[in-house]
Amino acid sequence: MALLLFSATSRPRAAPPLVRSATIAITSDGTRVVTINPDSNSITTLDTKRELVVCTTPQTLSIDGARVFVVCRDGSLNEIDLDAMRVRRAVAAGFDPFGVVASGGRVYVSTHDGIAVFDETTLARVTTIATEEFSHGLAIDGGKLYVTHFRSGKLSIIDLASLAVMNVIATGLDSNVSQSVVISGMRAYLPQTRSNSNNPALIFDSTAFPIVTVIDLANGVNLSSERIAIDIADRPSSLPVDIALTSDGRAFVVNAGSDDVSIIDLAQRRAIAHLQVGSSPRGIALSPDERFAYVNNTLSGSVSVIDTRNNTIANTIATTTIPLDSSILNGKILFNTSNQTTLAKDRWIACATCHFDGGTDGRTWFFKDGPRNTPPLFGIGETLPMHWSGDLDELQDVESTIRNIQAGTGLASGASNCEPSCDTAPPNAGRSKDLDDLAAFMRSLRAAPRVIALGDAALRGRALFASSGCASCHVPPLYVDQKKHDVGTGSNPLEHKGTSFDTPSLRGVADSAPYFHDGSAATLIDVVDTHGSATTLTSGDKNDLVAFLRTISFSTTPERRRAVKK
Ligand SMILES: [Ca+2]
Ligand SMILES: [Ca+2]
C-alpha cells in the first residue's frame, strides 16, 4: 500500500537537516526510509521493501547520500551501499558501540570508551576522543557533535574542527537512560528517564519519571523550568528514548516502555495527542518536508507512519519477521513494556526502566530488603540464586518484582509464591506461560562481546586474585560460589535481610559500578580498599588486582550471527 508514504516533491526545509544517530533514518531528499532491525540483525528499506542482514544486533544508523552507516552491538561499523543493498565494508569500532553519525567526510561512533572517529571514505580510524562514560546518542549541528551519556544524563559538546570536548552539561543527578538528542536553534532536547533512587519510600509512581530535558546551548545550562514531564504533559508513560521536532513547535516523543508517542506542544508543554504504536518503539524520523513521521517498532518488526497534519497513524508497514524463538520474543516484549496491567500499573515502569537492554541503570534503590544496587542481567541463568540476599531461586521469582515494584497484578494468578520468601514458597516456574517466557528471555541475555588482552599489570593481578583467596568465593569461570557470605558490608540499619550476601559474579564488573549490594563502593579501588584480604595488599598490588578485575568479561565468543528459528 503506497498510501501516504512519501512526499519527496514537497519543499525541503531551508536549514540543513540535523544529522543524528537513530534506529530509523530518511535520505535528505526524503525518498528513502531505512530502519534497523536489532533482532533480525538487518536493515530494511521501506521504499523498495528490501532487507539486508548486516551484523549482530544493529543499534543505530546514519545516512549520508547513498551510503548508510550502521553500528552494531558486536562491535562493528558497517558501510552499506544503499543502491546495491550490500555491505561494502565492516571495521571494528570498539566495545558496545551505540551511536553513529556520518558527516563532512568523517564517521563518528560512540563506544563505551569515547568517540571513535573514522575517515568516511576508507573507514580508517582517525582518532578516539575520550569522553565521559557511556557515550550514547549522537547529533551533529553547526560544526559540533552532541553526545548523550546513557547513565549520567550529561551532554558532551565536541568541536568538530579541533575534536576537543568543549563543554559537558549536567542535567540533574537523577537523569538516566539518555538515548538521543535533537538540536533546534539554541536548544537541545533530550528524552530521558529520571531515576528517583534517592526516594526512601518508593511506590511505583515515584520510582521513575519520563521527561524531556531542555538545554540552553547559548549559556550551556540545563533549563529545569522548561523540562517537560511527559506524565503531566500527556499521561503516564515510560522510557522516552527518541524525539522529533517540527518547525511549528511540536515534539513527537517516542516512549519505548509504554509503546506510544506523545505529541507535545512545546510552547504550552502540553500534549496534543498520543498515539499507541507497536512494541518497543525505539526511534523516530521526520520526512524533510515534515509531512510524515516514521516510528520504528523494534519488537513488532514494523514502522508506524504518523501523518503530522492531523496527528494520526496513517499506515503501519511491516519491516521484518523477527527470527527469535517465539517464547523468547514474547519474554522480550514483556520485559520491555509497561503497557499491560499484569506487569505495571498506569504504564509507569517496565523491567527495562532499570535494566535497559538487560543492563543496569547504575542506581541503588531503597527496596524492601534494604538499599539495593541494580545488577546487569547478562548470564543471569548461570549464577543462581538471585538478588543480593540470594533468596530468589528461580528466574520466575521476578513475579515479586512485577507485583511489588511495578504494581502489576502479576503474570501468574493467585499468590506471588514469594512469601515469606521466594525460595521457601512453592515454585513459580510452570505457573504462567508469560512468566516462563520472561524467564526464557532473561536466560538468553548476553553482554556485548569484548576482546581483552591481559597486560602485565592484569597478569600480576590475576596471580594475586588466586593467592589472596578471592577465587575461593569468586570461583572462575563464573566467579561465583552460589553461596552467601558475611563480608562485613551489612551493618547499615536499613538492611532488612541479614548481613550475608550472595557472592556476585565478577564477569563484566568493570561496567557495573557502583559496587556491593548497597552501591557503597564507587570504584573497584574502593572495593579492594575494604574487601577481604585485599585490604592488606600494597597499593601497587591493589592496582594490579583492579587491572585484572577490569578484564574479567563474559565469554568473548561472538554471539550467534542469527538467532535460532524454531
Ligand atoms: Ca547470584
Ligand atoms: Ca553494581
Side-chain angles (χ1 to χ4, degrees), residues 65-364:
R67 290 187 293 189
V68 177
F69 297 90
V70 180
V71 288
C72 307
R73 196 154 177 265
D74 62 14
S76 65
L77 164 64
N78 304 272
E79 180 195 331
I80 287 135
D81 178 338
L82 204 51
D83 296 325
M85 264 312 246
R86 65 178 183 94
V87 180
R88 191 179 283 152
R89 66 186 123 212
V91 297
F95 173 54
D96 208 4
F98 180 81
V100 60
V101 280
S103 177
R106 284 183 180 149
V107 184
Y108 305 87
V109 176
S110 60
T111 74
H112 191 84
D113 309 307
I115 305 296
V117 186
F118 299 86
D119 182 284
E120 193 173 345
T121 310
T122 62
L123 286 197
R125 191 185 287 247
V126 179
T127 186
T128 303
I129 310 167
T131 61
E132 296 264 323
E133 276 190 313
F134 305 112
S135 287
H136 224 62
L138 300 176
I140 289 178
D141 188 53
K144 297 191 185 78
L145 176 65
Y146 296 85
V147 184
T148 75
H149 297 284
F150 188 74
R151 285 187 213 168
S152 71
K154 290 180 184 172
L155 180 72
S156 290
I157 304 176
I158 294 169
D159 173 48
L160 287 184
S162 62
L163 296 182
V165 178
M166 299 161 63
N167 202 356
V168 181
I169 302 168
T171 63
L173 286 176
D174 53 7
S175 302
N176 208 336
V177 197
S178 192
Q179 293 254 67
S180 63
V181 53
V182 296
I183 313 295
S184 173
M186 289 311 282
R187 293 270 194 278
Y189 296 83
L190 293 82
Q192 296 180 329
T193 296
R194 284 179 63 204
S195 296
N196 191 21
S197 56
N198 289 328
N199 179 357
L202 288 176
I203 39 174
F204 77 97
D205 62 357
S206 65
T207 302
F209 297 93
I211 58 164
V212 177
T213 289
V214 184
I215 291 173
D216 169 1
L217 294 171
N219 299 302
V221 290
N222 172 34
L223 297 171
S224 44
S225 62
E226 286 192 25
R227 177 165 67 205
I228 302 164
I230 300 168
D231 54 312
I232 296 169
D234 187 7
R235 60 173 187 174
S237 64
S238 59
L239 283 172
V241 294
D242 203 10
I243 182 170
L245 302 177
T246 53
S247 39
D248 64 2
R250 281 174 295 165
F252 291 67
V253 184
V254 177
N255 303 309
S258 43
D259 300 333
D260 58 359
V261 174
S262 297
I263 305 177
I264 293 167
D265 177 331
L266 280 178
Q268 307 285 332
R269 294 212 299 281
R270 200 173 42 78
I272 312 161
H274 58 248
L275 302 171
Q276 209 63 43
V277 290
S279 181
S280 201
R282 293 283 180 101
I284 186 165
L286 197 60
S287 63
D289 62 1
E290 300 188 354
R291 179 77 168 71
F292 297 105
Y294 303 83
V295 178
N296 185 356
N297 307 310
T298 56
L299 289 179
S300 300
S302 70
V303 164
S304 301
V305 184
I306 299 174
D307 183 342
T308 63
R309 281 186 310 192
N310 51 15
N311 299 326
T312 55
I313 294 183
N315 199 358
T316 302
I317 302 167
T319 47
T320 185
T321 302
I322 300 173
L324 291 180
D325 169 278
S326 64
S327 295
I328 291 178
L329 177 58
N330 183 41
K332 187 165 191 174
I333 290 169
L334 296 168
F335 187 89
N336 280 283
T337 193
S338 63
N339 189 33
Q340 271 194 32
T341 50
T342 49
L343 283 165
K345 194 168 179 183
D346 292 350
R347 291 180 296 272
W348 204 273
I349 319 178
C351 306
T353 301
C354 301
H355 302 284
F356 201 82
D357 283 342
T360 165
D361 55 9
R363 298 304 197 269
T364 300

Side-chain angles (χ1 to χ4, degrees), residues 151 360 362-364 373-376 388 509 511-517 519 521:
R151 285 187 213 168
T360 165
R363 298 304 197 269
T364 300
N373 182 247
T374 309
W388 291 97
V509 76
D511 303 316
S512 64
Y515 301 105
F516 293 143
H517 71 283

Side-chain angles (χ1 to χ4, degrees), residues 15-33:
L18 183 73
V19 180
R20 63 190 205 101
S21 60
T23 65
I24 181 163
I26 305 185
T27 52
S28 55
D29 63 2
T31 57
R32 312 204 65 180
V33 183

Side-chain angles (χ1 to χ4, degrees), residues 383-386 502-503:
T383 53
L384 296 172
M386 303 185 309
D502 176 46
T503 305

